Amino acid sequence: DFFFTCPPYADMEKYSDLEEDLSNMDHDEFFEIYRKCLTNTYSKLKDNRFAVVVVSEVRGPDGNFISLVPKTVGIMLRAGYKYYNEMILLNQVGTLAMRAGQYMKKSRKIGRLHQNVLVFYKGDLALIKEEFEGGLDSFDWTNKQK
């Protein structure tokens, strides 16, 4: 009824030493397997349902973005999904404030403090209200626990 993923951001973090781990692949191989994985979700998801992919940009060895966000959108559109919405997930500042000055001095680039929450829909957009009736309008705001 719902597809949600936050896949590896290419090779930004290593999750294991396994050769078949997406985080251990070069970018071309990563995108080939990533495309297959996301494309396969379309046939598994019921009609008139949402799919959400949380991603962020990643820099390649040359210091430029590898276009993970737009490539993800393209993959999902080619699979058949409709690009329904996007949200920005703000991360905790953490050590970014301490690292930002170093980034700027070295490369004139700023650190990222967010991730992109990409929302897709499979089905007839006109049926959303019927499929998901109620929503916030049906929530009992008077019975909140304190």
Side-chain angles (χ1 to χ4, degrees):
D1 284 346
F2 180 67
F3 171 72
F4 179 91
T5 188
C6 184
Y9 295 176
D11 56 358
M12 191 166 86
E13 293 179 2
K14 297 291 184 189
Y15 292 101
S16 77
D17 292 330
L18 299 173
E19 185 178 318
E20 61 272 16
D21 185 330
L22 283 172
S23 68
N24 291 323
M25 297 178 183
D26 67 42
H27 292 156
D28 290 335
E29 188 177 16
F30 167 84
F31 278 114
E32 179 61 26
I33 302 300
Y34 182 59
R35 181 193 58 75
K36 288 178 184 177
C37 291
L38 290 180
T39 300
N40 287 339
T41 67
Y42 190 81
S43 65
K44 306 294 183 197
L45 190 66
K46 289 181 183 178
D47 285 342
N48 303 315
R49 296 296 185 262
F50 288 97
V52 175
V53 184
V54 179
V55 291
S56 189
E57 276 305 338
V58 175
R59 294 197 183 276
D62 62 0
N64 292 312
F65 285 143
I66 66 169
S67 300
L68 183 56
V69 175
K71 286 180 180 178
T72 299
V73 172
I75 290 167
M76 295 296 277
L77 290 174
R78 283 188 294 283
Y81 288 103
K82 295 170 179 74
Y83 189 18
Y84 186 76
N85 216 343
E86 180 186 29
M87 296 173 273
I88 299 298
L89 174 62
L90 293 176
N91 298 326
Q92 293 289 330
V93 173
T95 61
L96 179 62
M98 294 184 292
R99 293 177 285 134
Q102 295 168 357
Y103 291 155
M104 185 57 70
K105 285 179 186 175
K106 183 178 176 183
S107 65
R108 299 299 186 255
K109 294 178 179 149
I110 60 171
R112 291 181 66 85
L113 190 59
H114 72 280
Q115 297 175 71
N116 301 69
V117 181
L118 308 173
V119 181
F120 301 91
Y121 193 72
K122 176 186 177 181
D124 185 347
L125 294 172
L127 298 177
I128 289 177
K129 190 164 183 160
E130 292 175 28
E131 291 282 344
F132 303 98
E133 59 183 272
L136 292 178
D137 295 337
S138 66
F139 186 77
D140 181 2
W141 294 97
T142 62
N143 196 17
K144 292 193 316 186
Q145 291 184 356
K146 295 184 180 193

